[in-house]
Amino acid sequence: MESINALFDQFTEALDENDKSKAISVFQKALSSSDLSIPMLYEHLLAPSLNHIASNSKDQEIPIWKEHLASSTVRTALELSYPRVLTDQQPKTGQRALVFCLEEEYHELGARMTADYLTLLGFETYFIGANTPRKDILEAIKFFNPNVVCISVTNYFHLSRLHDLIVKLPENRPFKLIVGGYAVHHSSNVEELVKADFYANSFDDLKIIKEAIL
Amino acid sequence: MKLAFRIALRFLSSNKGQTFLITLGIAIGISVQIFIGSLIEGLQISLLDTTIGRSSHITIAASEKNEPFNDYEAVLNQLSNQVEKMTPTLTGGAFIKTDDKTNQILLRGFDLASADQIYRFSEAVLEGGRLPAPGTNEVLMGVTLSEDYNIEIGDTLEILSPAGQLTEIKVVGFFDLEVAAINASWVVSGLDLSRTVFDFDENQVTALESQIEEPFDSDLIATQMQTDVNREDLRFDDWKAQNEALLSGLSGQSTSSLMIQVFVVISVVLGIASVLAISVLQKSRQIGILKAMGINDRTSSLVFLFQGFLLGILGGLLGILFGLGLLVVFSKFALNPDGTPVVPIFINYRFMMLSGLIAVVSSTFASIIPALKSRKLSPIEVIKNG
Amino acid sequence: MGNIINLSKVSKIYGTAVKTQVLYDVDLAIKPKSFNGIIGASGSGKSTLLNIVGTLDRPTFGEVEINGIRTDQMKKNDLAKLRNETIGFIFQFHYLLPEFTAFENVLMPHFIKGQKFDKRMNDRAHELMELVGLSKVKNNLAGNMSGGQQQRTAIARALINNPRIILADEPTGNLDSETTEVIYDLLRDINKKLETTFVIITHDRRIAEKTDRIIEIKDGRIYNDFSRI
């Protein structure tokens, strides 16, 4: 079997060439390998390839349309992964998890991966998606009554909104709040200002958190 | 400094309508001030000319009334460098006999050459006449006097002195000095004839008459003369002492003219001050912006001082033009039946310059309050209130 | 490197009879060459904060240091000089002098500085107008230009004296989104090329999310302060 690094190179090359079918066939090849776990595929293939493309990490020249094209390819890859996620799922914990992004936050892929991780870890997971208004977040929390609420923030501007939301949540809330995403881990002062129960950056972080909760 | 001037100029030029109105306001005020000042000055000069133009400003006579005094030439020589126009006169009441009547006249014997500088007989002689030749028995006669007694040029009359001496005189002309009393009573002769009539000595005259450059200094000069001459037997009379009523009239007129001018200028100042004060409000946004950009308080005040200064110059110049125009129009259209102006207009360029200066100074002064306001203005008020 | 702007325990209280406190013990340090966004609801005190940083307003309590110099105690005229030489302002309502042309407006801070207007300055002014894309309208009176043109004029004006700091209060507040983008790119470009420190108040998410640091003011206090790392 090819190494994850070789697959990453092929996948990014296909993204660079705007060749979706090639990228997806590379990913399917990787997905079919039982050596490569879902977190591995996400954390060593999909996420870095997106960062590679994303304009805010490398040179400014990459146009937004290309970034969107790459996102769409990665989204397809994620959809293709879901059956595998269900197959690999650990014994159910009986706990519910709610995953979403804040209002005006359109970068949902991170949240999507997080949702899959939580599913893998045996949570009953509800992924609401990008750009969720606060009112709807509160309604969803009421409706699902989750044990874990997971918020992903990619753009650091939305940290302010995250702060606002957390302040609005009741003091003794009946769920654990986990925040993560690019902005949470690449900005100063987040842990001082944003009082979440956990800060997660990877599948391993979530695993530790799960142990802490249960 | 240069920047403040430039901003001031731009503020004025960018709001032409308002600038024009203030300038017009100043100009009208200044032109009224110039007009009234010039009118009153012209009136006073013509009145003064009528009153003392052909009369003695300082008269030196014997302390004792109607008596002659001696050594007049010494006095004349002593004062000749102080007073330009001075003439000796031998004057006395006398009578002339016409047909069957004897009439009182005033015989005025002059050194005609020097007396002409004061009385301008040569101009006042009517057609057909001439000045008496010195050393003869020729006389000039007031025109009214001649008409009253049907005297004609070439007539020979007898003159009777109070002492009873009869002397023959010959009329060579009539004069009109434009004063009724003089025209009706004066008979003018050379000194010799008068001396003969009154039987005085060679070195005696009844008075030394004089005119000075500044008639209003006559009292001072008279006192000075008295000190210089230092003769107990002489008195020095100046015209002011004899014309107190006229003088108080003139000074009252001057005062009221000055009052009018002062109030006109005050209203101009108030007008400018209020308009400039409003303009600070109008321009407070700009001043705030300039201050935010770092203009200092001094410069921001100067902007308004310069505006006042420039308006003063513009208004002053325009005001002088308007004033001149008014004066010209007045002297052209307000006429006596004989075509002479009702009031002879006297154009005093120094006075006009002064008015222009007053316009500049007063409008600069009027801009002090707006300048202080501008100094106090804080940029934050402007920035905050959008 | 030291901070170019340093506020410590800055409070601002307005009014004497009825006191309104607008800022509470604000500590804020801004690094040179950084590109900072300030956000907050209207009435949060963010404009007051910016005005205090810009020495247009004085703190009631606390210390303000600009470029290493204490400004809270300085005299008015010294502050004016400091503003003229160190700080460029860009306001939401572009605040040009309508009596002057765009070109003259751009040069106004230079004139205020009281230095000679020579060919070098003339070239610099033309260059800046070129930079903000106003070459064609530079001789128009400021009052006769579109909002975008006026705002760009204000930006060129803020730059003319080569200030180390540019303070902007909603610089794109009343511009359409396309112009906003252009102006923003321009500011960012200046920040990179001239190493000018920017502090920008904005409610525009597109601008705020591109800054290096977001400071959120809420009820007179710093509520959020996130920097990219």
Side-chain angles (χ1 to χ4, degrees), chain A residues 156 160 163 186-189, chain C residues 211-213 216 224-225 227 229:
Chain A
Y156 89 133
S160 156
H163 187 177
H186 292 87
S187 306
S188 65
N189 296 341
Chain C
T211 55
D212 298 328
R213 179 177 176 187
E216 183 176 2
N224 282 315
D225 181 358
S227 305
I229 24 178

Side-chain angles (χ1 to χ4, degrees), chain C residues 10-198:
Chain C
V10 163
S11 295
K12 181 71 185 177
I13 301 167
Y14 286 116
T16 41
V18 183
K19 290 188 176 165
T20 318
Q21 184 150 5
V22 182
L23 292 175
Y24 297 83
D25 292 338
V26 172
D27 291 315
L28 179 66
I30 303 281
K31 289 192 175 65
K33 303 172 197 175
S34 59
F35 198 89
N36 307 278
I38 295 184
I39 59 173
S42 68
S44 60
K46 59 185 193 300
S47 290
T48 303
L49 182 69
L50 196 78
N51 291 333
I52 286 175
V53 170
T55 78
L56 295 170
D57 211 346
R58 287 181 196 274
T60 312
F61 304 108
E63 295 177 9
V64 181
E65 245 177 49
I66 303 295
N67 216 355
I69 305 164
R70 274 283 293 274
T71 63
D72 48 288
Q73 312 274 346
M74 270 166 86
K75 291 201 181 85
K76 267 167 84 188
N77 282 341
D78 296 336
L79 286 177
K81 188 168 152 63
L82 177 93
R83 280 200 295 274
N84 179 252
E85 290 169 3
T86 315
I87 304 172
F89 291 96
I90 306 168
F91 296 106
Q92 177 176 12
F93 309 99
H94 9 77
Y95 288 120
L96 300 180
L97 301 173
E99 294 87 356
F100 290 82
T101 65
F103 188 67
E104 289 168 324
N105 266 285
V106 169
L107 276 166
M108 196 52 76
H110 176 72
F111 293 141
I112 291 172
K113 203 171 170 187
Q115 291 181 349
K116 273 221 171 100
F117 176 63
D118 50 17
K119 189 175 175 303
R120 199 182 59 81
M121 269 327 286
N122 186 56
D123 292 349
R124 176 166 167 75
H126 282 293
E127 257 167 47
L128 282 173
M129 298 207 77
E130 190 87 38
L131 180 73
V132 298
L134 282 177
S135 311
K136 281 185 191 150
V137 293
K138 61 187 160 208
N139 291 321
N140 287 17
L141 281 181
N144 299 340
M145 300 196 302
S146 74
Q149 288 170 336
Q150 290 192 36
Q151 194 58 287
R152 280 182 279 172
T153 308
I155 292 171
R157 180 181 68 184
L159 289 169
I160 190 83
N161 279 353
N162 245 330
R164 293 200 59 199
I165 304 167
I166 286 191
L167 304 177
D169 193 346
E170 301 278 8
T172 55
N174 48 7
L175 302 180
D176 59 63
S177 59
E178 208 165 311
T179 319
T180 297
E181 200 72 35
V182 172
I183 299 273
Y184 169 75
D185 289 341
L186 186 64
L187 297 182
R188 194 79 227 209
D189 225 38
I190 291 158
N191 165 246
K192 290 225 167 81
K193 279 189 194 146
L194 306 176
E195 302 191 327
T196 313
T197 308
F198 277 80

Side-chain angles (χ1 to χ4, degrees), chain B residues 12 17-35 261 263-276 304-323 326 352 354-367:
Chain B
L12 290 178
Q18 188 174 310
T19 304
F20 175 73
L21 283 179
I22 313 180
T23 309
L24 199 67
I26 300 171
I28 288 176
I30 292 300
S31 67
V32 166
Q33 191 238 337
I34 285 178
F35 179 68
Q261 294 180 39
F263 280 110
V264 167
V265 169
I266 287 176
S267 77
V268 168
V269 169
L270 289 178
I272 304 165
S274 63
V275 176
L276 281 177
F304 288 89
L305 287 178
F306 275 132
Q307 285 193 66
F309 178 70
L310 286 169
L311 288 170
I313 288 180
L314 269 179
L317 286 176
L318 202 62
I320 289 174
L321 281 180
F322 282 2
L326 271 176
M352 296 213 172
L354 189 70
S355 298
L357 199 68
I358 286 172
V360 175
V361 171
S362 57
S363 59
T364 308
F365 178 76
S367 61

Side-chain angles (χ1 to χ4, degrees), chain B residues 300-352:
Chain B
S300 76
S301 314
L302 274 178
V303 167
F304 288 89
L305 287 178
F306 275 132
Q307 285 193 66
F309 178 70
L310 286 169
L311 288 170
I313 288 180
L314 269 179
L317 286 176
L318 202 62
I320 289 174
L321 281 180
F322 282 2
L324 278 172
L326 271 176
L327 290 174
V328 167
V329 168
F330 188 78
S331 64
K332 280 250 169 72
F333 294 102
L335 298 176
N336 288 320
D338 64 355
T340 55
V342 173
V343 176
I345 294 299
F346 185 79
I347 292 178
N348 180 341
Y349 289 100
R350 270 183 60 194
F351 175 66
M352 296 213 172

Side-chain angles (χ1 to χ4, degrees), chain B residues 66-352:
Chain B
N66 297 326
E67 288 299 318
F69 64 93
N70 298 327
D71 293 331
Y72 77 88
E73 276 177 332
V75 179
L76 198 61
N77 287 334
Q78 193 183 356
L79 296 177
S80 65
N81 53 354
Q82 277 183 39
V83 189
E84 218 177 301
K85 301 175 180 176
M86 188 171 252
T87 187
T89 176
L90 257 167
T91 303
F95 304 92
I96 52 168
K97 295 174 77 176
T98 52
D99 303 329
D100 50 345
K101 280 181 272 182
T102 303
N103 309 288
Q104 195 176 3
I105 52 103
L106 191 69
L107 178 62
R108 303 220 58 190
F110 284 112
D111 165 32
L112 284 165
S114 56
D116 203 43
Q117 289 182 320
I118 296 175
Y119 292 98
R120 302 196 297 279
F121 291 120
S122 48
E123 291 166 26
V125 173
L126 298 179
E127 226 183 298
R130 61 174 171 82
L131 290 183
T136 62
N137 67 344
E138 294 172 349
V139 297
L140 279 177
M141 196 167 269
V143 62
T144 320
L145 192 63
S146 71
E147 282 161 7
D148 285 352
Y149 303 110
N150 286 321
I151 298 166
E152 282 174 19
I153 290 175
D155 285 359
T156 304
L157 305 165
E158 280 192 322
I159 193 159
L160 176 66
S161 76
Q165 185 177 332
L166 267 176
T167 313
E168 192 167 87
I169 56 167
K170 187 182 174 194
V171 178
V172 294
F174 306 127
F175 62 81
D176 177 8
L177 284 179
E178 290 171 357
V179 179
I182 291 177
N183 286 348
S185 63
W186 281 19
V187 172
V188 174
S189 73
L191 274 179
D192 301 330
L193 181 64
S194 182
R195 188 170 288 126
T196 313
V197 170
F198 295 117
D199 192 23
F200 287 147
D201 291 340
E202 188 67 22
N203 66 351
Q204 285 185 322
V205 289
T206 52
L208 286 173
E209 296 189 343
S210 65
Q211 277 196 347
I212 52 178
E213 287 287 304
E214 299 293 333
F216 285 98
D217 294 341
S218 63
D219 45 351
L220 298 174
I221 293 176
T223 313
Q224 183 63 43
M225 285 175 171
Q226 192 156 25
T227 319
D228 291 350
V229 173
N230 194 22
R231 269 176 57 170
E232 295 257 326
D233 62 328
L234 297 182
R235 59 193 166 87
F236 294 72
D237 295 327
D238 69 275
W239 73 276
K240 281 165 84 175
Q242 288 149 6
N243 288 282
E244 270 173 23
L246 174 70
L247 279 173
S248 77
L250 287 181
S251 105
Q253 203 176 35
S254 293
T255 310
S256 58
S257 155
L258 194 68
M259 290 296 279
I260 293 173
Q261 294 180 39
V262 165
F263 280 110
V264 167
V265 169
I266 287 176
S267 77
V268 168
V269 169
L270 289 178
I272 304 165
S274 63
V275 176
L276 281 177
I278 291 168
S279 114
V280 173
L281 291 183
Q282 284 176 336
K283 301 291 182 195
S284 60
R285 184 182 163 98
Q286 282 86 328
I287 294 296
I289 299 167
L290 284 165
K291 284 199 170 180
M293 288 194 289
I295 210 168
N296 59 32
D297 290 347
R298 185 172 153 272
T299 312
S300 76
S301 314
L302 274 178
V303 167
F304 288 89
L305 287 178
F306 275 132
Q307 285 193 66
F309 178 70
L310 286 169
L311 288 170
I313 288 180
L314 269 179
L317 286 176
L318 202 62
I320 289 174
L321 281 180
F322 282 2
L324 278 172
L326 271 176
L327 290 174
V328 167
V329 168
F330 188 78
S331 64
K332 280 250 169 72
F333 294 102
L335 298 176
N336 288 320
D338 64 355
T340 55
V342 173
V343 176
I345 294 299
F346 185 79
I347 292 178
N348 180 341
Y349 289 100
R350 270 183 60 194
F351 175 66
M352 296 213 172

Side-chain angles (χ1 to χ4, degrees), chain A residues 95-96 118 123 147-149 175-178 197-198 206-214:
Chain A
Q95 300 228 335
R96 287 173 304 280
L118 289 167
F123 286 90
N147 306 91
V148 171
V149 168
F175 55 82
K176 294 297 176 188
L177 182 69
I178 307 171
D197 298 311
F198 302 102
L206 286 174
K207 234 162 53 183
I208 295 164
I209 292 166
K210 175 187 168 189
E211 277 157 23
I213 297 171
L214 293 178

